[in-house]
Structure formats: C-alpha cells, structure tokens
Amino acid sequence: MSAEPRRARLRAPAKINLGLKVLGRRPDSYHELRTVFQTISLADTLEIGFTPGRSTAIEVSSSIEIPGGNLVERAAALVLDTAKVSGRVSMQLTKRIPMGAGLGGGSSDAAAVLLALPVLAGRRLSIETLLGMGACLGSDVPFFLLGGAAVALSRGTELYPLPDARAAAGLVVAPAIHVSTPEAYRAMAAPELTSAPVQNIISSFQSFVWRQVGAADPASGENDFESVVFVQHPQLRALKRRLLTLGARPAMLSGSGSALFGLFASREEARRALPAFGGQRVFLISVVNRARYRGLWWRALGAHIAGKVWPPQSRYA
Ligand code: C5P
C-alpha cells in the first residue's frame, strides 16, 4: 500500500432543463416528471485525493459554506461503503455554480465523487450500482453519470440518452432569489394548477422530445414550474421576457429556478446580450454534449484509468 495520495482535479458541470413537465404526486411522495436534462459549461471544480489505509477519514473544504451539508461527503462515504474500501479521502470544492438555482450544482459535485473515487480507490462499480447510489443521494444525481442531453422520467432518475445536438451557446441568469424545490412541487400539485388533462401533457412532451432529434430549429419546451414560481417572483418572468426580446430561443426557468437560461444562435449573439443583465449574476455558457462530457472525464482522470470506456474504469482494479 502506498502512502502517496492518488489525486484528480475534476470539473463538475451544471445542467439546465430544456423542458419539464410535472405529471403528479407519486405514492413515494416524489413527483412524476418528464424532463430533458442538458449539461452546460458552467462548472464547479473538485480536487479529490485518496490514500489507501486501514481507517477511513473524509475531509471536505469548500470555497463557500454549503447550507444543509455537503453532498460530496455523503457521496464519498457511500462509495467507500459500497466498494468495501478504507482510506483517507480529501476534497476541495470550488463552487461557481449558483446554489439553490435549479442548475444541479450539488448533484453534479456528488456525481463527480461517484465517478472518480472508485477509480482512485481501485474499484470497478457497474453503471447500475452507480445509478442506484446516485438516486440515493438525490433525484438529479444519476443524470450527471451520463451527461449530454437525456430524457428523464420517474423522479428524474430513469434516464434515456438523446443523441448529441449541435453546439449551442447561451446565457444563464441567476438572480439572488432562493426557490425551495419541495415548496415549488407542493404548489404545483395544488388542484387548481393541475387542470390540464394528463394525456395532453404527455403528448406535448413527446412531440417536444421528437423535435430535439434532428430538427432544423431548436425545439422550445415548457417548464411547468414557471406557472408557480413566476407568480411568486414576477421579476423572473421579466428576465425571461428580456432573454426572449434579445433573441434567445428557448428562454426558460431551469428546474424549479431561480436561474433562467437562454440559448442563442451563436456565441457572439449570446455575448451581445450580456450587458442587458447588468446587476445580475450572469454567465456565458455553451452546451456540453456527451462526447465533450466524457472527454472532460477521461482527461481529468488521465493516468488513473484503463482506456476510454464509460463509466471510467480504474487501472488499479
Ligand atoms: O431528490 P432530491 O433530494 O433532490 O429532492 C428534493 C425534494 O424535491 C424532495 O424532497 C421532494 O420534495 C422534491 N421532489 C419531488 N419530486 C421529484 C424530485 C424532487 O417532489 N421528482
């Protein structure tokens, strides 16, 4: 056993939801979803080190305090437990993805641990095992084990990859408004907001997903959370209108918000729209397709992996 830690520096990208339908409450009290997730270039950085040893210790430091506890710590404990391995894990997290904004930052950080720690610890976990661990940590975590664009059903944990779309650029606007996801779901489930027949909801989502594949113009989905979140925070509706006026297609709330995104025809157009959001936290982003997502991982894990396979496989196993 070596005393030298095995280290990697990872980028954990954010996600946007290109469309999101909430069908209703499930017996497990989660909500049944239909959504299309898409990874984007805005990313946190996670430096992770693993030193094999008889006892286990997990150390985490973060550039910003994370309310409610850091999911990377739970993810690391779950990996060590599932892989039946002991040792010291040290993690330094640099947060760039706004928190509580519907951009999946915490989920992506946790998925980064699920992908990297088994590699550093010399264990091979199947994709089924990783997906199960991801779903234990949070509804958005499994998506980050896949990346690119994907249709999600169920709690958001049943995933079907979509083919890589053409490159797109955009803006993410993240106002300093915190939206509580459980409260947004509860508000959505109120009877007066679920009057649309479920069959119509499903067929509109189906045609939206079909248009994602090979359509000439970008398909514009809808996010059901807008109907409740925009009522509570009218300034978010105004920001969406501003994105649309500036030429973004689509422009939408991401997840339950409060971040909004707009995709533009070119990076130049997105850049030109930037000054219109002075005073807001705004990010110029590009869409990260699955090929690029996996490339990021293979580069980050470099010397620790055996070939370019997915999920990344440890060369120490
Ligand atoms: O799974 P996660 O911990 O990210 O979910 C946070 C909260 O969001 C859940 O406790 C639940 O209230 C709500 N949720 C939901 N239906 C989903 C996903 C999340 O009701 N599909």
Side-chain angles (χ1 to χ4, degrees), residues 33-48:
L33 289 190
R34 301 289 179 269
T35 189
V36 172
F37 285 119
Q38 171 70 65
T39 36
I40 59 170
S41 55
L42 173 64
D44 291 338
T45 304
L46 180 69
E47 287 175 63
I48 180 165

Side-chain angles (χ1 to χ4, degrees), residues 29-33 137-140 154-156 181-182 185-186:
S29 87
Y30 281 87
H31 290 79
E32 183 67 26
L33 289 190
L137 294 165
S139 303
D140 290 349
S154 182
R155 277 167 63 198
T181 301
Y185 271 111
R186 271 197 295 277

Side-chain angles (χ1 to χ4, degrees), residues 128-191:
E128 290 77 12
T129 303
L130 291 171
L131 286 170
M133 292 160 79
C136 272
L137 294 165
S139 303
D140 290 349
V141 178
F143 164 65
F144 291 101
L145 301 171
L146 181 63
V151 178
L153 318 181
S154 182
R155 277 167 63 198
T157 49
E158 184 182 337
L159 295 155
Y160 298 93
L162 282 171
D164 279 344
R166 59 178 156 45
L171 294 183
V172 165
V173 186
I177 292 173
H178 179 80
V179 175
S180 155
T181 301
E183 274 172 33
Y185 271 111
R186 271 197 295 277
M188 185 105 56

Side-chain angles (χ1 to χ4, degrees), residues 5-245:
R6 294 173 187 152
R7 291 181 194 283
R9 185 184 160 87
L10 318 166
R11 279 169 63 77
K15 59 86 177 161
I16 52 177
N17 299 80
L18 295 173
L20 193 158
K21 295 267 162 212
V22 180
L23 269 62
R25 224 169 107 100
R26 298 151 42 107
D28 63 4
S29 87
Y30 281 87
H31 290 79
E32 183 67 26
L33 289 190
R34 301 289 179 269
T35 189
V36 172
F37 285 119
Q38 171 70 65
T39 36
I40 59 170
S41 55
L42 173 64
D44 291 338
T45 304
L46 180 69
E47 287 175 63
I48 180 165
F50 176 77
T51 317
R54 281 213 186 86
S55 61
T56 285
I58 299 171
E59 293 154 16
V60 187
S61 66
S62 174
S63 60
I64 325 181
E65 201 195 321
I66 298 174
N70 199 331
L71 210 52
V72 296
E73 192 171 337
R74 282 182 50 209
L78 191 57
V79 169
L80 297 182
D81 197 42
T82 307
K84 299 191 174 34
V85 62
S86 59
R88 179 169 164 265
V89 181
S90 70
M91 295 182 281
Q92 284 95 48
L93 188 57
T94 307
K95 291 293 295 178
R96 276 185 217 92
I97 305 171
M99 290 184 283
L103 296 168
S107 303
S108 185
D109 300 339
V113 175
L114 298 186
L115 289 171
L117 188 52
V119 168
L120 300 180
R123 292 289 195 276
R124 292 190 179 185
L125 300 179
S126 68
I127 191 68
E128 290 77 12
T129 303
L130 291 171
L131 286 170
M133 292 160 79
C136 272
L137 294 165
S139 303
D140 290 349
V141 178
F143 164 65
F144 291 101
L145 301 171
L146 181 63
V151 178
L153 318 181
S154 182
R155 277 167 63 198
T157 49
E158 184 182 337
L159 295 155
Y160 298 93
L162 282 171
D164 279 344
R166 59 178 156 45
L171 294 183
V172 165
V173 186
I177 292 173
H178 179 80
V179 175
S180 155
T181 301
E183 274 172 33
Y185 271 111
R186 271 197 295 277
M188 185 105 56
E192 69 271 21
L193 291 169
T194 51
S195 52
V198 162
Q199 273 310 317
N200 286 352
I201 293 174
I202 295 170
S203 58
S204 66
F205 182 77
Q206 176 178 257
S207 57
F208 158 67
V209 174
W210 278 47
R211 279 187 290 125
Q212 290 292 307
V213 186
D217 56 328
S220 194
E222 289 161 16
N223 182 337
D224 280 354
F225 279 115
E226 290 184 354
S227 63
V228 294
V229 174
F230 284 0
V231 171
Q232 278 182 317
H233 304 286
Q235 59 271 53
L236 299 181
R237 190 197 304 276
L239 286 170
K240 171 173 169 158
R241 288 213 181 110
R242 198 180 304 171
L243 282 163
L244 287 169
T245 307

